[in-house]
Amino acid sequence: TWCRTKKESIRLLKGLFSKNHSALLDWVCSPSLLLTSSKCDLHRLEEGPPVKAELTREQGLQYYRTMQTVRRMELKADQLYKQKIIRGFCHLYDGQEACAAGIEAAINPSDHLITAYRAHGYTYTRGVSVKEILAELTGRRGGVAKGKGGSMHMYAPHFYGGNGIVGAQVPLGAGIALACQYQGNNQVCVTLYGDGAANQGQLFESYNMAALWKLPCIFICENNKYGMGTSVERAAASTDYYKRGDFIPGLRVDGMDVLCVREAAQFAADHCRAGKGPIIMELQTYRYHGHSMSDPGVSYRTREEIQEVRSKSDPISMLKERMLSHNMASVEEFKEIDIEIRKQVEDATQFATSDPEPPLEELCNHIFSNNPLLEVRGTNPWSKLKSVS
């Protein structure tokens, strides 16, 4: 007999099933849920994304897996850097995982994405394995850029990197959107930058061209509150980054809520595909580490501030609690996923620390996509290196 409420029914039925069938029963009784997501602030828009977001059990577990993998990968990169196995520049993404997971859930694999140098999370969501990412960070031959790109220069199909020059990826993203429009393929380009780059002139030039030509470009400012060591309040006269396009519509989004990001990104993509031109999104997020590994991250903000965000707004914890409270998954399932991810990252680390470095004769290869006759001077005036494409 079906009980007075669905919740009571599920609880009673669970008693008839073993632990292994419990989650399956939850899914059968509740294949999807309509959950409330944060309301977005709007600029030059009559209506925005829906405040009710549908979430299936399969989607929820996939988002959790994606965010937890990025989190574990970044924590491992932190460890390897402190052991001096990773050298050079390294900007970690932990805390901002909902941005990458939510955007990727809303666009197609054939759509395009370009971002700044805090790029490890997007490299993963665009299809590159943890093994290839960590091997690139350690400068090994099995890395995604053959060990020659490092933290800021990773690429994949329809993913144009990590770019090391602050803000310079934004006009490139507008150019990619122009190519989409020219080819008429109904694709969009997601162009990401941080609040630290938001005051640069090249962004406003890109906005102008994109608006004039109605380019299918989603400009996204990942506002993690600090540009290097400077808070947004000290760096910008206006911190309403979603209004910075003036004549371009904008959204301000809770970047710690993966469902809110997904709904907003879906809304933005539909806007662009409808031929309405560009749109700007501001994702309000937070990074747990410093700007880079050379920044301890606590000289311009307090440890208490970081801990408060971790305890109240962590994107992974919020999704997990949401799913648990709606009986969409069990604690044991999340534990199994965590164990699996931990093993995946450890196996990737083993590869990234044992794979050989690229040999010196490959240093100048792949400078060009074609195969010109090219000699490159080596470490002294008498050594010449050949470039092979």
Side-chain angles (χ1 to χ4, degrees):
T1 306
W2 195 251
C3 297
R4 193 169 48 211
T5 68
K6 186 175 177 181
K7 206 168 187 178
E8 290 175 28
S9 304
I10 291 171
R11 190 172 62 250
L12 286 174
L13 284 168
K14 276 184 180 179
L16 304 175
F17 285 79
S18 69
K19 183 175 69 174
N20 292 336
H21 293 91
S22 175
L24 177 62
L25 180 63
D26 285 334
W27 183 79
V28 171
C29 293
S30 180
S32 67
L33 287 172
L34 273 177
L35 301 174
T36 303
S37 63
S38 306
K39 187 176 181 181
C40 300
D41 296 320
L42 306 181
H43 171 65
R44 287 185 176 266
L45 289 167
E46 292 183 3
E47 60 179 1
V51 293
K52 294 285 186 181
E54 183 176 0
L55 179 70
T56 67
R57 167 183 152 81
E58 183 183 357
Q59 287 172 337
L61 291 177
Q62 180 57 48
Y63 302 159
Y64 179 85
R65 188 182 299 273
T66 297
M67 292 193 291
Q68 190 69 289
T69 301
V70 173
R71 175 73 57 87
R72 289 285 170 194
M73 179 178 71
E74 295 295 65
L75 293 178
K76 180 57 69 173
D78 172 70
Q79 180 186 336
L80 292 172
Y81 198 96
K82 288 170 180 172
Q83 293 171 349
K84 298 186 178 180
I85 297 172
I86 294 174
R87 302 292 188 108
F89 296 103
C90 188
H91 307 81
L92 302 182
Y93 200 68
D94 51 320
Q96 300 183 210
E97 296 90 351
C99 300
I103 290 168
E104 202 64 61
I107 63 174
N108 304 321
S110 58
D111 288 322
H112 308 269
L113 192 145
I114 187 168
T115 188
Y117 41 70
R118 201 177 305 280
H120 306 163
Y122 290 103
T123 307
Y124 176 73
T125 62
R126 289 270 91 184
V128 179
S129 68
V130 176
K131 183 174 79 170
E132 290 175 290
I133 294 170
L134 288 180
E136 188 59 41
L137 288 171
T138 57
R140 307 304 170 113
R141 196 163 56 187
V144 62
K146 303 185 187 300
K148 296 186 288 185
S151 174
M152 296 194 287
H153 306 287
M154 302 185 191
Y155 308 92
H158 305 289
F159 175 57
Y160 304 84
N163 290 265
I165 306 301
V166 177
Q169 74 278 6
V170 178
L172 297 181
I176 296 166
L178 175 61
C180 294
Q181 184 191 69
Y182 185 79
Q183 294 171 3
N185 52 26
N186 202 35
Q187 295 170 359
V188 302
C189 181
V190 176
T191 302
L192 294 121
Y193 54 95
D195 53 277
N199 299 318
Q200 292 204 357
Q202 57 188 327
L203 271 72
F204 299 92
E205 294 174 33
S206 303
Y207 294 164
N208 185 58
M209 287 187 286
L212 274 174
W213 300 336
K214 293 190 178 298
L215 301 183
C217 191
I218 307 173
F219 294 105
I220 299 183
C221 175
E222 289 184 294
N223 176 9
N224 60 25
K225 309 294 192 293
Y226 297 93
M228 297 187 72
T230 306
S231 67
V232 293
E233 291 81 13
R234 294 179 59 218
S238 169
T239 56
D240 292 333
Y241 295 105
Y242 70 111
K243 296 180 179 179
R244 291 288 196 90
D246 187 12
F247 36 79
I248 299 176
L251 300 164
R252 181 158 60 192
V253 183
D254 180 358
M256 304 299 269
D257 181 345
V258 67
L259 293 183
C260 191
V261 175
R262 185 193 70 181
E263 295 303 303
Q266 182 66 65
F267 176 90
D270 291 344
H271 175 96
C272 290
R273 292 191 216 279
K276 297 178 181 177
I279 190 168
I280 292 175
M281 280 173 56
E282 176 190 343
L283 301 181
Q284 292 192 316
T285 184
Y286 198 85
R287 55 171 163 81
Y288 293 158
H289 271 83
H291 169 73
S292 69
M293 286 302 299
S294 60
D295 169 21
V298 290
S299 59
Y300 49 86
R301 59 182 182 177
T302 63
R303 295 183 189 276
E304 290 74 25
E305 176 185 312
I306 301 167
Q307 189 54 44
E308 185 179 9
V309 176
R310 280 183 180 275
S311 61
K312 294 182 179 179
S313 305
D314 183 79
I316 299 174
S317 299
M318 285 200 301
L319 177 64
K320 180 180 177 180
E321 291 305 318
R322 217 175 216 177
M323 293 186 70
L324 287 173
S325 65
H326 288 89
N327 296 314
M328 297 186 79
S330 65
V331 173
E332 289 76 16
E333 279 183 288
F334 285 118
K335 284 182 180 176
E336 287 174 11
I337 292 172
D338 291 347
I339 291 168
E340 179 189 331
I341 291 170
R342 218 173 268 125
K343 184 180 185 307
Q344 178 190 1
V345 172
E346 288 302 324
D347 290 346
T349 304
Q350 180 63 33
F351 175 79
T353 53
S354 60
D355 192 50
E357 295 179 356
L360 182 62
E361 56 268 20
E362 288 187 13
L363 180 65
C364 298
N365 290 355
H366 308 105
I367 294 175
F368 294 97
S369 61
N370 55 4
N371 201 15
L373 296 172
L374 184 70
E375 283 192 343
V376 182
R377 193 180 72 181
T379 53
N380 65 66
W382 299 279
S383 69
K384 298 286 184 182
L385 297 171
K386 296 281 187 182
S387 176
V388 179
S389 297

Short mmCIF file of all heavy atoms in Angstrom, two decimals, residues 307-343:
data_model
loop_
_atom_site.label_atom_id
_atom_site.label_comp_id
_atom_site.label_asym_id
_atom_site.label_seq_id
_atom_site.Cartn_x
_atom_site.Cartn_y
_atom_site.Cartn_z
N GLN A 307 37.98 29.37 5.35
CA GLN A 307 37.28 28.28 6.04
C GLN A 307 35.78 28.48 6.01
O GLN A 307 35.01 27.51 5.88
CB GLN A 307 37.78 28.18 7.49
CG GLN A 307 37.27 26.95 8.23
CD GLN A 307 37.56 25.66 7.49
OE1 GLN A 307 38.67 25.46 6.97
NE2 GLN A 307 36.57 24.78 7.41
N GLU A 308 35.33 29.72 6.10
CA GLU A 308 33.89 29.99 6.05
C GLU A 308 33.30 29.60 4.70
O GLU A 308 32.22 29.01 4.63
CB GLU A 308 33.62 31.47 6.34
CG GLU A 308 32.14 31.79 6.42
CD GLU A 308 31.86 33.25 6.72
OE1 GLU A 308 32.81 34.06 6.70
OE2 GLU A 308 30.68 33.57 6.97
N VAL A 309 34.01 29.94 3.62
CA VAL A 309 33.54 29.55 2.29
C VAL A 309 33.51 28.03 2.17
O VAL A 309 32.55 27.44 1.66
CB VAL A 309 34.43 30.16 1.19
CG1 VAL A 309 33.99 29.66 -0.19
CG2 VAL A 309 34.37 31.68 1.24
N ARG A 310 34.57 27.38 2.65
CA ARG A 310 34.63 25.91 2.59
C ARG A 310 33.45 25.27 3.32
O ARG A 310 32.87 24.29 2.85
CB ARG A 310 35.93 25.42 3.24
CG ARG A 310 37.17 25.50 2.36
CD ARG A 310 38.35 24.90 3.10
NE ARG A 310 39.57 24.93 2.35
CZ ARG A 310 39.93 24.00 1.47
NH1 ARG A 310 39.14 22.97 1.23
NH2 ARG A 310 41.09 24.09 0.83
N SER A 311 33.11 25.82 4.48
CA SER A 311 32.07 25.20 5.31
C SER A 311 30.66 25.51 4.82
O SER A 311 29.74 24.70 5.00
CB SER A 311 32.23 25.65 6.76
OG SER A 311 32.10 27.06 6.87
N LYS A 312 30.46 26.67 4.18
CA LYS A 312 29.11 27.08 3.81
C LYS A 312 28.80 26.95 2.31
O LYS A 312 27.63 26.78 1.94
CB LYS A 312 28.87 28.55 4.22
CG LYS A 312 28.86 28.76 5.72
CD LYS A 312 28.58 30.22 6.05
CE LYS A 312 28.54 30.47 7.55
NZ LYS A 312 28.30 31.89 7.87
N SER A 313 29.82 27.06 1.45
CA SER A 313 29.53 27.17 0.03
C SER A 313 30.33 26.23 -0.85
O SER A 313 30.40 26.43 -2.06
CB SER A 313 29.80 28.62 -0.44
OG SER A 313 29.09 29.54 0.32
N ASP A 314 30.95 25.21 -0.27
CA ASP A 314 31.76 24.31 -1.09
C ASP A 314 30.90 23.63 -2.15
O ASP A 314 29.87 23.02 -1.81
CB ASP A 314 32.45 23.26 -0.22
CG ASP A 314 33.35 22.37 -1.04
OD1 ASP A 314 34.47 22.80 -1.37
OD2 ASP A 314 32.93 21.25 -1.40
N PRO A 315 31.26 23.71 -3.43
CA PRO A 315 30.38 23.19 -4.48
C PRO A 315 30.17 21.68 -4.41
O PRO A 315 29.09 21.18 -4.72
CB PRO A 315 31.11 23.59 -5.77
CG PRO A 315 32.51 23.86 -5.37
CD PRO A 315 32.45 24.36 -3.98
N ILE A 316 31.20 20.94 -3.99
CA ILE A 316 31.08 19.48 -3.93
C ILE A 316 30.20 19.07 -2.76
O ILE A 316 29.30 18.24 -2.90
CB ILE A 316 32.49 18.85 -3.83
CG1 ILE A 316 33.32 19.21 -5.06
CG2 ILE A 316 32.38 17.34 -3.68
CD1 ILE A 316 34.76 18.75 -5.00
N SER A 317 30.45 19.66 -1.61
CA SER A 317 29.65 19.34 -0.42
C SER A 317 28.18 19.70 -0.62
O SER A 317 27.28 18.95 -0.20
CB SER A 317 30.20 20.07 0.81
OG SER A 317 31.52 19.69 1.08
N MET A 318 27.92 20.84 -1.26
CA MET A 318 26.53 21.27 -1.46
C MET A 318 25.77 20.30 -2.34
O MET A 318 24.62 19.95 -2.06
CB MET A 318 26.49 22.68 -2.05
CG MET A 318 26.83 23.78 -1.06
SD MET A 318 26.22 25.40 -1.57
CE MET A 318 27.04 25.62 -3.14
N LEU A 319 26.40 19.84 -3.43
CA LEU A 319 25.74 18.88 -4.32
C LEU A 319 25.52 17.56 -3.59
O LEU A 319 24.44 16.96 -3.70
CB LEU A 319 26.58 18.67 -5.58
CG LEU A 319 26.03 17.62 -6.55
CD1 LEU A 319 24.68 18.05 -7.11
CD2 LEU A 319 27.01 17.34 -7.68
N LYS A 320 26.51 17.11 -2.86
CA LYS A 320 26.40 15.84 -2.12
C LYS A 320 25.26 15.89 -1.11
O LYS A 320 24.42 14.97 -1.05
CB LYS A 320 27.73 15.56 -1.42
CG LYS A 320 27.76 14.27 -0.62
CD LYS A 320 29.12 14.09 0.02
CE LYS A 320 29.18 12.84 0.89
NZ LYS A 320 30.51 12.66 1.51
N GLU A 321 25.19 16.97 -0.33
CA GLU A 321 24.13 17.10 0.67
C GLU A 321 22.75 17.17 0.01
O GLU A 321 21.78 16.62 0.53
CB GLU A 321 24.38 18.33 1.54
CG GLU A 321 25.58 18.22 2.46
CD GLU A 321 25.51 17.00 3.36
OE1 GLU A 321 24.42 16.71 3.89
OE2 GLU A 321 26.54 16.32 3.52
N ARG A 322 22.70 17.84 -1.10
CA ARG A 322 21.43 17.96 -1.82
C ARG A 322 20.93 16.58 -2.25
O ARG A 322 19.75 16.25 -2.10
CB ARG A 322 21.68 18.83 -3.06
CG ARG A 322 20.55 19.75 -3.42
CD ARG A 322 20.98 20.61 -4.57
NE ARG A 322 20.46 21.95 -4.49
CZ ARG A 322 20.74 22.91 -5.35
NH1 ARG A 322 21.58 22.68 -6.34
NH2 ARG A 322 20.22 24.11 -5.21
N MET A 323 21.83 15.79 -2.80
CA MET A 323 21.45 14.46 -3.29
C MET A 323 21.10 13.53 -2.13
O MET A 323 20.16 12.74 -2.22
CB MET A 323 22.57 13.88 -4.14
CG MET A 323 22.79 14.63 -5.45
SD MET A 323 24.00 13.84 -6.51
CE MET A 323 23.12 12.36 -7.02
N LEU A 324 21.85 13.62 -1.05
CA LEU A 324 21.56 12.78 0.11
C LEU A 324 20.21 13.13 0.72
O LEU A 324 19.42 12.24 1.08
CB LEU A 324 22.67 12.93 1.16
CG LEU A 324 24.02 12.28 0.84
CD1 LEU A 324 25.06 12.67 1.89
CD2 LEU A 324 23.90 10.76 0.76
N SER A 325 19.92 14.42 0.83
CA SER A 325 18.67 14.85 1.46
C SER A 325 17.45 14.48 0.63
O SER A 325 16.33 14.39 1.16
CB SER A 325 18.70 16.36 1.71
OG SER A 325 18.73 17.07 0.48
N HIS A 326 17.64 14.26 -0.69
CA HIS A 326 16.53 13.87 -1.55
C HIS A 326 16.58 12.39 -1.92
O HIS A 326 15.91 11.96 -2.88
CB HIS A 326 16.52 14.72 -2.82
CG HIS A 326 16.09 16.14 -2.60
ND1 HIS A 326 16.98 17.14 -2.28
CD2 HIS A 326 14.85 16.73 -2.64
CE1 HIS A 326 16.32 18.28 -2.14
NE2 HIS A 326 15.04 18.06 -2.35
N ASN A 327 17.38 11.62 -1.18
CA ASN A 327 17.47 10.17 -1.39
C ASN A 327 17.86 9.80 -2.82
O ASN A 327 17.39 8.79 -3.36
CB ASN A 327 16.14 9.48 -1.03
CG ASN A 327 15.81 9.62 0.43
OD1 ASN A 327 16.67 9.40 1.29
ND2 ASN A 327 14.58 10.00 0.73
N MET A 328 18.71 10.58 -3.44
CA MET A 328 19.13 10.30 -4.81
C MET A 328 20.39 9.44 -4.85
O MET A 328 20.75 8.92 -5.91
CB MET A 328 19.38 11.61 -5.56
CG MET A 328 18.15 12.47 -5.71
SD MET A 328 18.43 13.92 -6.74
CE MET A 328 18.33 13.21 -8.38
N ALA A 329 21.06 9.30 -3.74
CA ALA A 329 22.25 8.45 -3.65
C ALA A 329 22.51 8.18 -2.18
O ALA A 329 21.94 8.85 -1.30
CB ALA A 329 23.46 9.11 -4.30
N SER A 330 23.36 7.21 -1.91
CA SER A 330 23.67 6.85 -0.53
C SER A 330 25.08 7.30 -0.17
O SER A 330 25.92 7.56 -1.04
CB SER A 330 23.56 5.33 -0.34
OG SER A 330 24.55 4.67 -1.11
N VAL A 331 25.33 7.37 1.13
CA VAL A 331 26.66 7.74 1.62
C VAL A 331 27.70 6.75 1.11
O VAL A 331 28.81 7.12 0.73
CB VAL A 331 26.67 7.79 3.16
CG1 VAL A 331 28.09 8.00 3.69
CG2 VAL A 331 25.75 8.88 3.66
N GLU A 332 27.31 5.45 1.06
CA GLU A 332 28.24 4.41 0.61
C GLU A 332 28.64 4.63 -0.85
O GLU A 332 29.80 4.41 -1.23
CB GLU A 332 27.61 3.03 0.76
CG GLU A 332 27.46 2.55 2.19
CD GLU A 332 26.31 3.23 2.93
OE1 GLU A 332 25.44 3.83 2.24
OE2 GLU A 332 26.29 3.19 4.17
N GLU A 333 27.69 5.06 -1.68
CA GLU A 333 28.00 5.31 -3.09
C GLU A 333 29.03 6.42 -3.24
O GLU A 333 29.98 6.31 -4.03
CB GLU A 333 26.73 5.68 -3.85
CG GLU A 333 25.88 4.52 -4.25
CD GLU A 333 24.69 4.97 -5.05
OE1 GLU A 333 23.78 5.57 -4.45
OE2 GLU A 333 24.67 4.74 -6.27
N PHE A 334 28.85 7.50 -2.50
CA PHE A 334 29.80 8.60 -2.56
C PHE A 334 31.18 8.15 -2.10
O PHE A 334 32.20 8.54 -2.66
CB PHE A 334 29.31 9.79 -1.74
CG PHE A 334 28.20 10.56 -2.39
CD1 PHE A 334 26.95 10.66 -1.79
CD2 PHE A 334 28.38 11.19 -3.61
CE1 PHE A 334 25.92 11.37 -2.39
CE2 PHE A 334 27.36 11.91 -4.22
CZ PHE A 334 26.12 11.99 -3.61
N LYS A 335 31.21 7.30 -1.07
CA LYS A 335 32.49 6.78 -0.59
C LYS A 335 33.18 5.95 -1.66
O LYS A 335 34.40 6.04 -1.86
CB LYS A 335 32.28 5.95 0.68
CG LYS A 335 32.03 6.77 1.93
CD LYS A 335 31.87 5.88 3.15
CE LYS A 335 31.62 6.71 4.41
NZ LYS A 335 31.38 5.86 5.60
N GLU A 336 32.40 5.12 -2.36
CA GLU A 336 32.96 4.29 -3.43
C GLU A 336 33.54 5.15 -4.55
O GLU A 336 34.61 4.87 -5.09
CB GLU A 336 31.89 3.35 -3.97
CG GLU A 336 31.53 2.21 -3.04
CD GLU A 336 30.37 1.40 -3.55
OE1 GLU A 336 29.96 1.58 -4.73
OE2 GLU A 336 29.83 0.57 -2.77
N ILE A 337 32.81 6.21 -4.91
CA ILE A 337 33.29 7.13 -5.95
C ILE A 337 34.59 7.79 -5.50
O ILE A 337 35.55 7.90 -6.26
CB ILE A 337 32.22 8.18 -6.29
CG1 ILE A 337 31.03 7.53 -6.99
CG2 ILE A 337 32.81 9.29 -7.18
CD1 ILE A 337 29.85 8.45 -7.19
N ASP A 338 34.63 8.23 -4.24
CA ASP A 338 35.83 8.89 -3.71
C ASP A 338 37.04 7.96 -3.75
O ASP A 338 38.15 8.37 -4.12
CB ASP A 338 35.59 9.35 -2.27
CG ASP A 338 34.58 10.50 -2.18
OD1 ASP A 338 34.29 11.09 -3.24
OD2 ASP A 338 34.10 10.79 -1.08
N ILE A 339 36.83 6.70 -3.37
CA ILE A 339 37.92 5.72 -3.39
C ILE A 339 38.41 5.49 -4.82
O ILE A 339 39.62 5.44 -5.08
CB ILE A 339 37.46 4.39 -2.75
CG1 ILE A 339 37.24 4.58 -1.24
CG2 ILE A 339 38.47 3.27 -3.00
CD1 ILE A 339 36.51 3.42 -0.57
N GLU A 340 37.47 5.38 -5.74
CA GLU A 340 37.82 5.16 -7.15
C GLU A 340 38.62 6.34 -7.70
O GLU A 340 39.62 6.16 -8.41
CB GLU A 340 36.52 4.97 -7.95
CG GLU A 340 36.72 4.75 -9.43
CD GLU A 340 35.39 4.79 -10.19
OE1 GLU A 340 34.34 4.45 -9.59
OE2 GLU A 340 35.42 5.18 -11.37
N ILE A 341 38.20 7.55 -7.37
CA ILE A 341 38.89 8.75 -7.86
C ILE A 341 40.28 8.86 -7.25
O ILE A 341 41.26 9.18 -7.94
CB ILE A 341 38.06 10.02 -7.57
CG1 ILE A 341 36.81 10.03 -8.44
CG2 ILE A 341 38.89 11.29 -7.80
CD1 ILE A 341 35.80 11.11 -8.06
N ARG A 342 40.38 8.55 -5.97
CA ARG A 342 41.68 8.60 -5.30
C ARG A 342 42.67 7.65 -5.98
O ARG A 342 43.83 8.00 -6.19
CB ARG A 342 41.49 8.24 -3.82
CG ARG A 342 42.38 9.06 -2.89
CD ARG A 342 42.06 8.80 -1.43
NE ARG A 342 41.08 9.72 -0.89
CZ ARG A 342 39.96 9.37 -0.30
NH1 ARG A 342 39.65 8.12 -0.16
NH2 ARG A 342 39.13 10.29 0.17
N LYS A 343 42.18 6.45 -6.31
CA LYS A 343 43.05 5.48 -6.99
C LYS A 343 43.44 5.98 -8.38
O LYS A 343 44.60 5.85 -8.81
CB LYS A 343 42.34 4.13 -7.10
CG LYS A 343 43.23 3.04 -7.72
CD LYS A 343 42.51 1.72 -7.82
CE LYS A 343 43.44 0.63 -8.33
NZ LYS A 343 44.15 0.96 -9.58
#
